[in-house]
Amino acid sequence: MNSSQKLTNTDVKKLNKNRIFRLIYNSDKISRQEIADKLGLSLPTVNQNLKMLMEERLIEYVGNFNSTGGRRAQAITINNNAKKAVSVNVKADHINVDIVGLKGQIIYSMVVKAHFSKGSAYIEKMSEAVRHAVDYAGSGADDILGVGITVPGILDDNKQILISAPPLKVKNYDLTKLTSAIGYPSIVMNDARAEAYADHWLNGKPEDEKIYIMLGEGVGGAYINASAIRSGVHNRGGEFGHMVIHPGGKECLCGKKGCLEAYVSEKVLSSEQDMTLNNFFELAAQGNNDSVNVLDEYMDNLALGINNIYTMMDCDIVLGGTVAPYLKRYEDSIKERLVNDYSFDTDAEYLRISDGGGRKSELGAALSFVARFIDGVE
């Protein structure tokens, strides 16, 4: 709607309903009087919209607030079970399936052992897992907003092609073979980008502008501004792992040499050391010389990559992925490296290290359906 157009009464009613729903959504619990005060609406208008939202099962009353004199106000919150999205996280040897509710809370989770392949048996196993999870959560078809599938690779969204996914050992895979078998509206998203979106959803604010660097089996991420992910012209935005930091250096899974991913992915601290991440960081904490030296080199390379990105983008940066929770105790050491190596900042407070978010970090693609639903409430 441009500035020359006027809002009709219908437009105003839809806008008020969405504003009320969003306010409830962004509040743990809220009273009708608080809604009226914060949005500058009359109580009759608030009550009318609450009645509609209740009829649609989008909100629920959860007791009363403590009395401040007079009748105790009802506490209103979002009904997590009103609508649901399905998260399907594809790994090389298994599939994680989660049902996530309207508030972003996980309702049901399951893990299916399955080695990725292009064959129909794999597709059937995935679609069966989705059906089982939906049935177990007691959801009807109308309750499912969509299925968000995450894969560790570079996508061509327009052609629905998985261009390259080294962890899955596949190139130029037609993703419509997966999405058409699901039976619900589906999207496929790069796993690092999806994890960045989930962290932004869970810990950010709508207006935030941040760079997310996800340290896992691969290294990727996203630039998110006001909840919008910048994909780039060729859908490769956020592929920070393939920024060269040591020309002619270690070989990366992409086939090139010297990529950031070759120096700061999870395997640098696990499989390359012939141990798990837990084992590695336990030894480092105990002062094991080999582990301490490897970790020092790892943090040097990580700081180099972060500095390069910060120099270009000049915005807050979040480290996420499987390695990030282990790095929390070394945050001061990483920031010291950043300050020493960077010309402009003196405290590196632009950096935050995520606690990982548990399974919620995998929900980004599914949460995009929730975000779309919230925008469309009217």
Side-chain angles (χ1 to χ4, degrees):
M1 181 176 295
N2 61 48
S3 58
S4 64
Q5 292 176 306
K6 293 183 179 180
L7 288 172
T8 65
N9 287 336
T10 301
D11 293 329
V12 171
K13 288 179 179 179
K14 290 179 178 179
L15 179 61
N16 283 338
K17 185 179 177 184
N18 188 269
R19 291 173 67 211
I20 290 170
F21 180 75
R22 283 177 177 275
L23 180 58
I24 298 170
Y25 194 93
N26 292 318
S27 306
D28 179 31
K29 298 174 185 176
I30 194 169
S31 70
R32 63 189 70 216
Q33 186 63 60
E34 285 181 286
I35 295 172
D37 292 342
K38 289 185 177 183
L39 298 181
L41 299 172
S42 67
L43 273 175
T45 296
V46 171
N47 287 333
Q48 182 183 28
N49 281 281
L50 291 179
K51 183 175 183 293
M52 288 189 289
L53 292 170
M54 271 296 293
E55 290 172 350
E56 295 168 23
R57 297 179 49 251
L58 297 179
I59 61 171
E60 57 186 352
Y61 295 102
V62 285
N64 301 86
F65 289 104
N66 293 329
S67 176
T68 56
R71 188 175 179 180
R72 294 195 302 164
Q74 286 181 302
I76 306 163
T77 191
I78 294 295
N79 177 9
N80 186 57
N81 288 300
K83 296 291 179 182
K84 306 176 185 75
V86 185
S87 172
V88 177
N89 191 259
V90 175
K91 301 291 187 179
D93 59 358
H94 67 279
I95 306 167
N96 292 327
V97 180
D98 298 280
I99 304 292
V100 57
L102 194 52
K103 289 163 57 172
Q105 297 173 353
I106 295 176
I107 295 171
Y108 175 72
S109 296
M110 63 183 291
V111 179
V112 179
K113 293 293 183 183
H115 289 277
F116 180 84
S117 74
K118 294 182 178 181
S120 59
Y122 180 86
I123 295 171
E124 177 55 30
K125 183 170 281 193
M126 175 185 288
S127 57
E128 176 59 30
V130 170
R131 289 193 294 270
H132 173 83
V134 170
D135 289 344
Y136 193 91
S139 304
D142 293 341
D143 291 338
I144 301 300
L145 299 173
V147 178
I149 304 170
T150 64
V151 293
I154 298 173
L155 310 174
D156 181 334
D157 286 340
N158 292 329
K159 296 180 180 179
Q160 288 290 287
I161 298 293
L162 178 56
I163 298 172
S164 175
L168 303 181
K169 299 178 181 178
V170 66
K171 290 184 177 181
N172 299 317
Y173 177 63
D174 182 0
L175 291 167
T176 61
K177 294 179 180 179
L178 289 180
T179 55
S180 61
I182 293 295
Y184 297 100
S186 304
I187 61 168
V188 184
M189 188 182 292
N190 167 270
D191 59 351
R193 193 178 290 176
E195 189 172 344
Y197 188 87
D199 191 287
H200 192 82
W201 174 276
L202 296 166
N203 302 302
K205 298 177 181 178
E207 67 276 11
D208 281 350
E209 176 184 4
K210 284 185 171 67
I211 292 286
Y212 289 82
I213 306 172
M214 316 312 289
L215 308 171
E217 294 177 352
V219 175
Y223 167 64
I224 302 181
N225 190 356
S227 296
I229 299 177
R230 187 190 183 281
S231 298
V233 175
H234 301 98
N235 203 31
R236 294 193 288 266
E239 285 294 334
F240 306 122
H242 301 292
M243 168 180 60
V244 174
I245 61 168
H246 295 300
K250 291 172 63 176
E251 186 169 353
C252 179
L253 279 175
C254 73
K256 304 299 182 183
K257 292 185 177 182
C259 294
L260 178 66
E261 181 173 306
Y263 294 88
V264 300
S265 69
E266 175 185 323
K267 68 177 183 177
V268 174
L269 306 177
S270 57
S271 60
E272 288 185 9
Q273 307 305 316
D274 197 25
M275 63 182 75
T276 65
L277 274 179
N278 276 330
N279 293 149
F280 176 84
F281 279 97
E282 283 175 4
L283 289 172
Q286 294 166 8
N288 176 272
N289 283 335
D290 290 341
S291 297
V292 168
N293 290 336
V294 169
L295 183 57
D296 277 341
E297 182 179 354
Y298 179 94
M299 290 192 292
D300 285 342
N301 287 313
L302 179 60
L304 176 58
I306 293 171
N307 269 324
N308 287 346
I309 295 167
Y310 185 62
T311 301
M312 290 183 287
M313 301 303 298
D314 189 25
C315 67
D316 287 352
I317 293 177
V318 179
L319 288 184
T322 53
V323 182
Y326 295 95
L327 295 176
K328 290 285 284 186
R329 67 179 296 170
Y330 301 99
E331 184 170 352
D332 290 342
S333 181
I334 294 170
K335 286 185 175 180
E336 182 179 350
R337 287 169 164 83
L338 293 174
V339 171
N340 290 339
D341 293 343
Y342 187 59
S343 303
F344 305 111
D345 258 347
T346 58
D347 57 16
E349 287 304 305
Y350 61 85
L351 179 70
R352 175 172 69 84
I353 300 179
S354 172
D355 62 5
R359 292 299 310 281
K360 285 191 173 184
S361 65
E362 299 178 350
L363 303 178
L367 289 173
S368 67
F369 283 101
V370 177
R372 194 179 308 165
F373 177 80
I374 293 170
D375 287 343
V377 169
E378 58 180 30

